[in-house]
Amino acid sequence: MRMRRKKNLEQRLADCGDRIIFMDREDRNYQIKDTENLLDYKNLFINDNPVELEIGCGKGQFAREIAKRNPDINYLAVEKSSNVIVEAAEKAIEENIPNLYFMRGGAEYLESYIPEHSVDRIYLNFSCPFPKKSYASHRLTHRNFLEIYKKLMKTDAEIHQKTDNMHFFEFSLNEFSASGFMLKNISLDLHKSNFEGNIVTEYEKRFSEQGFPIYRLEAVINK
């Protein structure tokens, strides 16, 4: 079911100021790559700290928590829906998290905004699995997206993925391998493993308490 448009959405987006970077404007074609909109991290964050990227941040719970835990790392959180990202940005502003900015738009636009080989880590948390085979290319671990991520990642950067969907996880394992990634720290039931430092979102907590295993992996570019 489609989410109802939030009241005063445009004004609320405007009130977030430069905390939200808008990627998918009507006058842009994501298939045309350019450099005029590439982010200047030092100008944005006012420091030279490492940059990490969450793609599909939803309401921003993970992004806010990890940014607060790691004030010496800069975070960019990407979300397609204005309805959703406005709430995430408002909370980040309210909680005064200076090392977190948001990007409204799809992952297909990232090459025109994120400088090549500048990202230290990418997070894919509970991405939409798009269960129909005909929609496989929309999955954020499809090889088309993985090729985009590879261009953004530093040589030793990693992708961390979590999902509650077994079939999507299996698909992701195959796509990462086919795209030249090496996999490590694979967990088929994260909450029953000895993994430390996991940030549990409201979504993750709900599904775990219902007995669903949480699947997790780390992927690095195979040199």
Side-chain angles (χ1 to χ4, degrees):
M1 185 173 63
R2 179 168 301 201
M3 182 184 296
R4 179 179 297 178
R5 182 179 176 86
K6 291 186 182 298
K7 187 177 181 179
N8 301 321
L9 177 60
E10 295 303 325
Q11 184 58 53
R12 289 173 64 183
L13 289 168
D15 289 344
C16 291
D18 65 353
R19 189 58 69 104
I20 303 177
I21 299 159
F22 294 89
M23 295 192 292
D24 52 349
R25 305 191 310 270
E26 290 182 359
D27 61 338
R28 279 194 45 75
N29 182 341
Y30 78 86
Q31 294 178 332
I32 300 175
K33 312 305 176 189
D34 58 54
T35 59
E36 65 180 87
N37 296 300
L38 288 177
L39 296 179
D40 181 338
Y41 296 145
K42 188 169 185 178
N43 182 59
L44 184 66
F45 293 103
I46 320 299
N47 61 55
D48 292 315
N49 293 337
V51 175
E52 298 186 357
L53 180 68
E54 184 187 11
I55 304 174
C57 70
K59 294 182 179 179
Q61 182 179 349
F62 174 87
R64 295 196 314 276
E65 180 60 30
I66 198 170
K68 286 188 286 188
R69 291 189 187 185
N70 301 284
D72 294 329
I73 298 177
N74 297 323
Y75 292 91
L76 292 167
V78 180
E79 173 58 45
K80 293 179 69 172
S81 170
S82 293
N83 238 15
V84 176
I85 203 170
V86 69
E87 185 175 333
E90 287 172 341
K91 288 181 178 178
I93 294 169
E94 179 184 339
E95 296 174 13
N96 190 26
I97 309 174
N99 58 326
L100 172 60
Y101 278 74
F102 295 87
M103 304 179 73
R104 201 284 308 276
E108 60 268 23
Y109 290 92
L110 287 172
E111 285 182 89
S112 292
Y113 287 82
I114 303 295
E116 286 191 0
H117 309 305
S118 67
V119 173
D120 287 82
R121 183 172 295 171
I122 293 175
Y123 298 93
L124 301 172
N125 294 315
F126 301 96
S127 311
C128 179
F130 290 101
K132 291 185 179 180
K133 289 185 178 180
S134 58
Y135 285 89
S137 63
H138 293 263
R139 298 168 187 162
L140 288 177
T141 54
H142 186 275
R143 62 193 66 188
N144 291 348
F145 285 116
L146 295 183
E147 291 303 315
I148 293 175
Y149 307 156
K150 286 163 71 173
K151 295 175 184 177
L152 311 181
M153 297 166 66
K154 291 182 178 179
T155 304
D156 56 349
E158 300 177 344
I159 298 177
H160 292 189
Q161 181 196 13
K162 286 195 295 184
T163 180
D164 61 297
N165 188 295
M166 179 188 68
H167 298 296
F168 177 43
F169 192 67
E170 291 174 347
F171 170 87
S172 300
L173 291 171
N174 291 329
E175 292 294 290
F176 277 116
S177 297
S179 298
F181 284 86
M182 182 179 68
L183 301 174
K184 63 177 184 176
N185 296 330
I186 298 172
S187 176
L188 301 181
D189 197 340
L190 177 61
H191 291 193
K192 292 184 179 179
S193 72
N194 58 0
F195 181 81
E196 297 180 357
N198 182 45
I199 295 175
V200 181
T201 66
E202 181 180 351
Y203 180 95
E204 180 177 347
K205 182 175 184 292
R206 183 170 72 250
F207 276 82
S208 180
E209 288 177 347
Q210 291 176 10
F212 293 99
I214 304 300
Y215 305 91
R216 184 184 183 277
L217 63 77
E218 297 174 10
V220 295
I221 298 174
N222 198 356
K223 303 174 185 178

